[in-house]
Amino acid sequence: IELRKDLVDYCQALARKLEFNSMSFHLLSTDEAIQSDALPAEIDLVTALHACNTATDDAIRFALAKNVQHLVLVPCCQAEVAEVLRKHKNESFGKTPLSEIWRHPIHTREFGSQITNVLRCLQLEAHGYQVTVTELVGWEHSMKNELIIARYKNSPRKNAQVRLAQILETLNLEELHSRFA
């Protein structure tokens, strides 16, 4: 925490020096940021660059709570879904032949990463966002280069929440439902 406080202090000093008078920095958890009076009730843009594991989900949760108009996300190291896939692997073998997709550890990691971002896109679409997924840079530069761009259009995709729930059920990931609600 002390190192992060030093970084916030440094950034505030730099903003003052550069006369970025409307820029401010706060050391807050996602839950604190959602509730904080120091931040506006509505925010225009949320970005998350190489946000490891569930940090992208925290950015999405913050964005939904603050009625964000635009999100630009570059997820990284999505381990949570892969861990749940691993945990339920044996029961999944009896439930669906799709479990062969994540039978081997390297496939579990890669499929977990892929399905995490699919679920995130469905979550955003269910909340009225138009979502585009593309590369940030070429694969030769980084394996973690998926760029998710979302723009609020106030037009929820009718079947996005249903499809999300179906995927969670089919892949034996129901315990993650609240994460992607």
Side-chain angles (χ1 to χ4, degrees):
I1 290 250
E2 193 57 41
L3 176 62
R4 288 184 257 166
K5 171 115 175 59
D6 289 346
L7 182 59
V8 169
D9 292 343
Y10 171 79
C11 290
Q12 287 174 329
L14 184 60
R16 281 192 303 276
K17 177 181 175 183
L18 297 173
E19 298 180 13
F20 293 153
N21 300 322
S22 63
M23 186 177 284
S24 62
F25 299 85
H26 306 276
L27 181 57
L28 303 169
S29 70
T30 303
D31 289 332
E32 292 168 338
I34 289 169
Q35 300 299 320
S36 177
D37 291 334
L39 299 175
E42 293 189 4
I43 294 178
D44 294 326
L45 172 69
V46 167
T47 64
L49 179 60
H50 288 283
C52 282
N53 201 13
T54 60
T56 299
D57 301 306
D58 291 339
I60 291 171
R61 191 164 49 90
F62 175 79
L64 295 176
K66 291 292 187 174
N67 301 310
V68 166
Q69 296 300 302
H70 304 275
L71 286 96
V72 180
L73 309 167
V74 180
C76 186
C77 309
Q78 305 94 324
E80 183 185 35
V81 170
E83 182 57 37
V84 176
L85 287 169
R86 243 182 250 102
K87 183 169 88 173
H88 297 297
K89 189 180 289 192
N90 288 338
E91 24 182 306
S92 294
F93 284 137
K95 184 173 184 174
T96 176
L98 290 174
S99 61
E100 291 295 332
I101 294 171
W102 67 91
R103 181 166 57 108
H104 300 284
I106 191 170
H107 296 149
T108 305
R109 184 188 73 217
E110 294 305 312
F111 181 68
S113 175
Q114 187 75 19
I115 202 66
T116 299
N117 289 337
V118 168
L119 294 168
R120 288 170 173 157
C121 291
L122 286 169
Q123 176 187 25
L124 290 167
E125 289 171 343
H127 284 275
Y129 286 85
Q130 177 185 11
V131 177
T132 302
V133 181
T134 189
E135 291 180 330
L136 177 64
V137 296
W139 289 107
E140 67 275 12
H141 300 293
S142 173
M143 292 299 289
K144 296 292 185 180
N145 72 346
E146 192 167 327
L147 173 64
I148 300 170
I149 303 167
R151 181 175 172 207
Y152 187 68
K153 299 292 250 173
N154 194 23
S155 58
R157 192 177 126 200
K158 291 182 171 97
N159 68 343
Q161 194 64 45
V162 171
R163 299 296 284 167
L164 194 153
Q166 289 171 332
I167 290 169
L168 291 173
E169 180 184 348
T170 300
L171 302 181
N172 212 10
L173 296 169
E174 293 98 330
E175 70 186 68
L176 296 175
H177 191 274
S178 64
R179 164 71 67 192
F180 297 103

